[in-house]
Amino acid sequence: MRVVVAMSGGVDSSVAAALLKEEGHEVIGVTMQLWPRDAANGRGSKGCCGLEAIDDTRRVAFKLGITHYVMDFREVFAHRVIDEFGREYRTGRTPNPCVLCNRRIKFDVLRERARELGADFVATGHHARVESNGGTCLLKKGADARKDQSYFLGQLTREQLRHALFPVGRLTKARVREIAAGLGLPVAEKPESQEICFVPDDDYAGFLRDYLPQDARPGPIIDGRGNRLGEHRGIAAYTIGQRRGLGIAAGEPRYVTAIRPETNTVVVGTKEETYGTGLVAADLAWLAIDPPEQPIAVKARVRYRHPEAEATVSPLGNGEVYVKFAAPQMAITPGQAVVFYDGDTVIGGGTISKQGR
């Protein structure tokens, strides 16, 4: 079959293309240009979809002997991902742009382009798996537990999942690099990027100051009793659970416990005060089950590197659910994704809309 592979210039997506070609499929590599070439301070030159990625992907495509296109997604990416990124920070939330990009760009806009090219499937280099179970596609964790990326895919729709392929999900990262080296791919030893693709150097606060200069307003940092401890440099520079970079002097470590955009205030407290036992989630996607009508037991993850925790998910009747944890969890953060698991199967996921106690 004909498959479009979203090639980001990294080893995972490069090996994904190689594996699909080896299986006999017609592979079309697509690199999405997402960030302007003339972006301020050189932004857009690196990252998973920047200029460096385009150059690397062209070399890989030549080596594999596959067709390769660079597609201009700058306008739609700015509208559907970057603008949302800014809006969320403006309201005191901490968004996950990779989750947005997967749902709104890779498996939506790119999939439409793939259909125009006569391809029914979009493949990526994510470490996750898709398995069929009685006609239902299930999203599973990647075989390499240390690299599992199912968390970033937990808000795909069932329709999107039916047209998704993750060829490296059954492999360890070490094996992926071995395959790339054996094929002589120029990205075999390329380091992994841990940055948001449009925020090189991981300086999201600096990016937001440039992108939303009107919102970089200083304001008070207070404790839970309302005592002023210092001044912040704009609420977009802070996230729940943050300890470093607060710029305040206190007798013991302080962590961000709340962000109040209505008063432009950052609240700090002890580490214990960052813990909560519940959350409300919205914008839900259910992959393995229909939307539950009764409470269900799950393992839930509230950040990518956060360990899964036992929880009960209860429907609220308005398209939202309440998630109650068996034990308190640190830094439950509005704007982040929450993903529900049953073993290695993703049940579904949503966006944290508020903390609960």
Side-chain angles (χ1 to χ4, degrees), residues 20 47 56 62 96 102 116 120 126 137 150 153 171 177 194 218 240 290 296 316 322 351:
L20 289 167
D56 287 342
F62 180 80
N96 191 312
N102 288 327
E116 293 170 5
D120 284 333
H126 284 98
C137 286
S150 59
L153 303 165
L171 306 174
R177 291 200 182 276
Q194 302 296 325
I240 302 297
D290 292 330
I296 60 171
L316 295 177
Y322 183 73
T351 302

Side-chain angles (χ1 to χ4, degrees), residues 105-265:
I105 306 297
K106 289 188 178 78
F107 296 102
D108 187 350
V109 181
L110 180 58
R111 184 189 159 212
E112 288 302 313
R113 295 286 187 92
R115 292 174 65 181
E116 293 170 5
L117 293 171
D120 284 333
F121 289 88
V122 170
T124 69
H126 284 98
H127 282 261
R129 296 172 291 140
V130 178
E131 293 183 2
S132 180
N133 181 20
T136 299
C137 286
L138 298 179
L139 177 62
K140 301 272 190 172
K141 295 177 182 178
D144 190 335
R146 295 172 301 173
K147 298 297 180 182
D148 168 50
Q149 295 173 308
S150 59
Y151 173 85
F152 297 111
L153 303 165
Q155 291 186 47
L156 296 185
T157 66
R158 293 183 183 182
E159 177 66 13
Q160 289 174 324
L161 194 61
R162 278 196 290 269
H163 296 272
L165 298 174
F166 307 117
V168 304
R170 64 183 186 272
L171 306 174
T172 65
K173 183 73 176 195
R175 180 58 183 150
V176 170
R177 291 200 182 276
E178 286 177 3
I179 293 172
L183 293 171
L185 300 185
V187 296
E189 299 301 326
K190 185 175 180 178
E192 291 185 77
S193 173
Q194 302 296 325
E195 302 169 344
I196 298 172
C197 67
F198 55 92
V199 187
D201 302 322
D202 211 25
D203 181 15
Y204 71 92
F207 167 81
L208 288 166
R209 283 195 298 271
D210 291 344
Y211 197 70
L212 300 169
Q214 69 277 16
D215 291 318
R217 296 182 296 114
I221 298 176
I222 65 173
D223 63 19
R225 295 186 295 274
N227 298 313
R228 186 180 180 116
L229 304 180
E231 185 175 85
H232 66 72
R233 58 187 185 279
I235 61 173
Y238 301 84
T239 186
I240 302 297
Q242 178 178 336
R243 175 186 173 186
R244 298 182 183 278
L246 300 182
I248 58 175
E252 59 181 314
R254 288 288 186 265
Y255 299 77
V256 175
T257 59
I259 298 171
R260 299 173 181 168
E262 66 278 5
T263 58
N264 194 34
T265 300

Side-chain angles (χ1 to χ4, degrees), residues 58-79:
R58 282 175 173 155
R59 289 194 290 269
V60 170
F62 180 80
K63 182 72 175 180
L64 295 177
I66 63 173
T67 302
H68 175 252
Y69 299 110
V70 176
M71 294 187 177
D72 187 351
F73 284 11
R74 288 175 291 181
E75 183 174 348
V76 68
F77 185 76
H79 176 65

